[in-house]
């Protein structure tokens, strides 16, 4: 075969339009047809002056540039701007000609730092969700909740130890009220604000304590603090340590999606905030927007008495996984300690009774054995290693809700629903990190990272909406074409009897 040398026609002049250069099945064509971007003007109208100042870059162009960044997983705005300069499809999406100058990346950065705030991003996020709902694609009977960590833009070697106040639990008042009711029902004195959790009265001191009230108050405040590792670079991130993962500063996106994988809500926290702590904010926003939710599907990290109580009291169902009890290594199995509801006691593996002792501030009833009986027990080493030979078993006052979760866990309907986590919320996180560059964030500060995550999830929703609408339109066109062909055939070539 002869070698044919091709001429380089780089300077050739052709008359073309931008629209003809973009393929018909390109993703941006589908996105452009899926929603009306003029709606964005309503959300940014108050952020611009109507009759004063120099003309600005069209806000839709700025937001579309960020949409391009998130849709195609481009890591930075600088890279996005340079890609738009040479990509015809990107220029078509923005409405720019082949030689028109693209806005500088710093213009976009400035707009999202000083003009567009979290309210603007939330408006865009919920607008896309409303478009999905209008198209009939949302399925919110069951929602899937989980969290994923995002590596922060912070050097792990630049850290300090800091003391921060322990955050009060959102349900602390409700729990304290029920604890006091439970104590009164058992003939115990209810806790006061400054009472000690121990039931026994304080022993008289041998010497007079001359410590001033000011010092005592300061010591009490110090006792309510905890020591954490903080980043010098990004103080709002949190140290993330889990299993074999490398220690790193991170943020966590606590997210909820529906059965079709559309993201309904997300809450960003520092990486050292547990899933169960951030649940209340996500659940509150979720149920406010979608009161029709019937089932909440979550992993065992959310299997706590408070979360179970909150969901079941709202006439909803918590579908979760098995959670291994924290028992002594080499000891008796947890299920060998049986709770007798009628007599309100625990029966141990040797059929001895552990009677009610007290209810502590954390909401746990304490059941204690008789030391005189335990001294001579043959299996005491498998039960307790305490010096006073007394076994203590705790049971939460909301334990009935956890047992309700266990009953539901064996139901075929909810077993099948839990298996869909890998197709829904886990796939959302996998796509976000592999396809949309959410493995690490270039931004610092909780506010900026929150806006970045919500915009990314909004773009993921928009992408899925565009693809689904495109498929439905092709199916509808095929059905119409088939109908016309069938009618033509039956009229011109009638079937013989």
């Amino acid at each position: 075969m002869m070698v044919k040398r091709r001429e380089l026609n780089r300077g050739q002049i052709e008359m073309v339009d931008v629209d003809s250069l973009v393929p018909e099945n390109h993703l941006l064509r589908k996105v452009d047809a899926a929603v009306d971007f003029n709606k964005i003007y309503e959300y940014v109208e108050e952020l611009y002056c109507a009759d004063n100042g120099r003309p600005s870059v069209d806000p839709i162009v700025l937001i579309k540039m960020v949409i391009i960044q998130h849709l195609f997983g481009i890591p930075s705005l600088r890279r996005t701007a340079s890609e738009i300069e040479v990509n015809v499809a990107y220029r078509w999406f923005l409405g720019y000609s082949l030689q028109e100058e693209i806005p500088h990346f710093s213009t976009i950065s400035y707009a999202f730092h000083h003009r567009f705030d979290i309210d603007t991003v939330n408006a865009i996020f919920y607008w896309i969700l409303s478009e999905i709902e209008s198209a009939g694609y949302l399925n919110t009977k069951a929602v899937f909740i989980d969290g994923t960590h995002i590596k922060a833009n912070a050097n792990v070697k630049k850290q300090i130890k800091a003391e921060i106040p322990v955050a009060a639990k959102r349900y602390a008042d409700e729990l304290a009220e029920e604890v006091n009711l439970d104590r009164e029902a058992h003939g115990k004195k209810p806790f006061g604000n400054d009472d000690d959790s121990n039931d026994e009265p304080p022993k008289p001191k041998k010497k007079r304590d001359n410590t001033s009230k000011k010092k005592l108050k300061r010591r009490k405040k110090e006792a309510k603090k905890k020591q954490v590792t903080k980043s010098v670079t990004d103080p709002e991130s949190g140290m993330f340590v889990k299993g074999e993962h490398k220690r790193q500063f991170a943020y966590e996106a606590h997210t909820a999606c529906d059965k079709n994988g559309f993201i309904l809500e997300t809450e960003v926290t520092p990486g050292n905030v547990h899933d169960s702590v951030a649940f209340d904010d996500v659940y509150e926003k979720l149920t406010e927007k979608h009161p029709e939710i019937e089932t909440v599907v979550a992993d065992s990290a959310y299997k706590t008495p408070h979360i179970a109580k909150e969901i079941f009291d709202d006439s909803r169902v918590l579908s979760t996984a098995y959670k291994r009890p924290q028992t002594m290594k080499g000891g008796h199995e947890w299920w060998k300690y049986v709770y007798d509801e009628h007599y309100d006691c625990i029966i141990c593996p040797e059929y001895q009774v552990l009677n009610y002792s007290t209810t502590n501030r954390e909401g746990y009833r304490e059941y204690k054995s008789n030391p005189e009986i335990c001294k001579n027990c043959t299996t005491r080493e498998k039960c307790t290693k305490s010096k006073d030979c007394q076994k203590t078993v705790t049971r939460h006052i909301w334990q009935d809700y956890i047992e309700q979760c266990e009953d539901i866990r064996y139901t075929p309907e909810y077993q099948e629903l839990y298996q869909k986590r890998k197709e829904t919320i886990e796939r959302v996180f996998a796509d976000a990190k592999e396809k949309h560059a959410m493995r690490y964030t270039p931004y610092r500060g909780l506010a900026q990272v929150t806006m970045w995550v919500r915009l990314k999830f909004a773009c993921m929703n928009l992408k899925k909406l565009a693809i689904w609408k495109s498929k439905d339109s092709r199916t509808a066109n095929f059905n119409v074409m088939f109908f016309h062909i069938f009618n033509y055939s039956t009229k011109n070539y009638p079937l013989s009897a």
Side-chain angles (χ1 to χ4, degrees):
M1 182 180 290
M2 293 180 61
V3 177
K4 183 180 179 181
R5 295 180 180 271
R6 179 176 175 81
E7 294 182 6
L8 299 177
N9 297 324
R10 292 173 178 169
Q12 184 174 342
I13 299 174
E14 296 183 11
M15 294 185 65
V16 293
D17 62 327
V18 178
D19 189 71
S20 64
L21 298 176
V22 181
E24 289 296 327
N25 62 344
H26 197 280
L27 175 61
L28 290 179
R29 280 193 180 274
K30 299 174 184 178
V31 169
D32 191 67
V35 294
D36 181 11
F37 284 98
N38 289 322
K39 185 78 173 175
I40 293 175
Y41 288 126
E42 299 178 15
Y43 306 135
V44 299
E45 185 178 3
E46 296 179 354
L47 306 176
Y48 290 88
C49 184
D51 55 1
N52 194 14
R54 63 182 178 84
S56 70
V57 177
D58 191 337
I60 291 183
V61 170
L62 297 176
I63 291 172
K64 277 186 174 183
M65 289 179 76
V66 175
I67 288 174
I68 289 172
Q69 178 193 2
H70 292 308
L71 281 179
F72 297 97
I74 304 174
S76 67
L77 287 173
R78 185 190 294 263
R79 177 74 178 274
T80 304
S82 63
E83 289 288 334
I84 293 172
E85 285 182 3
V86 297
N87 193 307
V88 178
Y90 295 171
R91 283 180 171 272
W92 174 89
F93 184 61
L94 298 178
Y96 276 61
S97 64
L98 290 174
Q99 294 187 344
E100 196 170 353
E101 186 180 359
I102 301 297
H104 197 263
F105 73 89
S106 62
T107 306
I108 317 167
S109 181
Y110 185 89
F112 277 90
H113 275 81
H114 302 283
R115 190 179 300 277
F116 303 149
D117 55 7
I118 188 63
D119 293 332
T120 311
V121 174
N122 284 339
I124 294 171
F125 180 85
Y126 292 123
W127 162 57
I128 294 173
L129 264 184
S130 66
E131 293 290 331
I132 296 167
E133 189 172 11
S134 300
Y137 296 145
L138 277 189
N139 185 354
T140 54
K141 294 295 181 183
V143 295
F144 301 80
I145 297 180
D146 204 354
T148 187
H149 284 87
I150 305 164
K151 188 177 179 181
N153 185 9
N155 189 344
V156 73
K157 294 181 180 179
K158 295 183 178 180
Q159 55 178 256
I160 57 172
K161 297 291 183 182
E163 285 191 348
I164 61 171
V166 178
K169 297 176 180 176
R170 291 185 60 172
Y171 58 93
D173 293 338
E174 181 186 5
L175 179 63
E177 184 179 349
E178 294 209 21
V179 164
N180 285 335
L181 289 174
D182 188 75
R183 290 177 64 85
E184 289 176 354
H186 285 92
K188 299 284 183 179
K189 181 181 176 182
F191 288 127
N193 292 331
D194 299 318
D195 287 343
D196 188 47
S197 58
N198 196 359
D199 295 332
E200 298 179 1
K203 296 179 180 179
K205 297 178 181 178
K206 293 180 181 178
K207 296 181 180 180
R208 184 179 175 182
D209 188 2
N210 293 322
T211 308
S212 65
K213 291 183 178 179
K214 190 175 181 180
K215 285 186 177 179
L216 289 172
K217 191 174 181 181
R218 188 177 69 248
R219 288 176 186 175
K220 190 174 180 181
K221 284 184 177 179
E222 289 174 354
K224 293 182 179 180
K225 292 182 178 179
K226 64 177 181 179
Q227 193 179 66
V228 297
T229 304
K230 289 188 72 174
S231 168
V232 178
T233 316
D234 186 0
E236 294 187 348
S237 63
M239 178 61 77
F240 168 55
V241 185
K242 183 180 179 182
E244 298 179 356
H245 288 277
K246 186 179 178 181
R247 290 171 62 90
Q248 60 185 13
F249 288 109
Y251 289 93
E252 185 170 5
H254 308 272
T255 310
C257 74
D258 75 338
K259 209 169 182 180
N260 292 329
F262 288 105
I263 301 152
L264 303 173
E265 191 56 66
T266 185
E267 185 75 20
V268 180
T269 65
N272 54 4
V273 175
H274 194 264
D275 291 347
S276 60
V277 177
F279 172 81
D280 287 325
D281 292 327
V282 178
Y283 181 74
E284 185 179 325
K285 293 178 182 177
L286 202 58
T287 51
E288 182 182 351
K289 295 282 184 181
H290 307 281
E292 69 277 4
I293 294 171
E294 295 178 358
T295 308
V296 177
V297 184
D299 62 16
S300 59
Y302 298 90
K303 196 175 182 180
T304 65
H306 161 64
I307 290 177
K309 180 181 185 298
E310 185 176 13
I311 292 174
F312 284 116
D313 284 352
D314 287 345
S315 301
R316 296 185 176 94
V317 175
L318 174 61
S319 175
T320 185
Y322 171 76
K323 189 173 185 178
R324 184 176 62 85
Q326 304 294 324
T327 55
M328 185 177 68
K329 187 177 181 180
H332 288 301
E333 292 82 355
W334 65 271
W335 46 266
K336 288 186 178 179
Y337 296 90
V338 181
Y339 176 66
D340 189 322
E341 187 176 0
H342 181 74
Y343 292 104
D344 190 23
C345 66
I346 301 289
I347 301 172
C348 78
E350 297 297 329
Y351 303 103
Q352 298 297 327
V353 176
L354 281 70
N355 291 310
Y356 172 84
S357 173
T358 186
T359 305
N360 60 31
R361 289 183 183 273
E362 298 299 319
Y364 287 92
R365 295 173 185 156
E366 297 179 4
Y367 298 86
K368 297 184 178 180
S369 64
N370 186 345
E372 298 300 323
I373 297 175
C374 291
K375 281 181 183 178
N376 303 318
C377 181
T378 56
T379 62
R380 179 164 60 86
E381 292 300 322
K382 296 178 68 176
C383 188
T384 181
K385 294 182 180 179
S386 64
K387 292 181 179 179
D388 57 357
C389 301
Q390 189 174 51
K391 172 69 175 178
T392 301
V393 177
T394 59
R395 177 184 170 86
H396 203 278
I397 57 175
W398 295 335
Q399 184 65 25
D400 292 341
Y401 294 99
I402 298 294
E403 292 176 355
Q404 199 170 344
C405 284
E406 282 297 300
D407 293 339
I408 287 169
R409 190 168 66 85
Y410 293 103
T411 309
E413 176 188 355
Y414 296 106
Q415 282 182 340
E416 183 181 349
L417 200 57
Y418 187 81
Q419 293 300 319
K420 290 189 177 295
R421 286 184 69 254
K422 62 179 179 291
E423 304 170 12
T424 52
I425 191 68
E426 290 181 5
R427 180 172 290 175
V428 164
F429 293 151
D431 287 346
K433 292 185 175 183
E434 292 296 323
K435 300 178 182 179
H436 301 279
M438 205 182 78
R439 196 168 294 280
Y440 65 90
T441 175
Y443 295 96
R444 292 173 182 166
L446 190 60
Q448 287 297 318
V449 175
T450 300
M451 290 174 61
W452 179 75
V453 170
R454 292 185 78 85
L455 272 172
K456 196 172 290 291
F457 283 155
C459 292
M460 290 174 64
N461 282 343
L462 179 59
K463 178 181 177 181
K464 180 171 282 192
L465 171 66
I467 293 172
W468 283 30
K469 275 192 170 183
S470 176
K471 286 181 179 178
D472 286 351
S473 64
R474 287 203 305 268
T475 304
N477 291 337
F478 175 79
N479 291 337
V480 170
M481 182 179 68
F482 179 80
F483 176 75
H484 286 305
I485 293 173
F486 180 77
N487 281 347
Y488 177 81
S489 301
T490 53
K491 288 179 180 177
N492 294 281
Y493 306 99
L495 296 174
S496 57

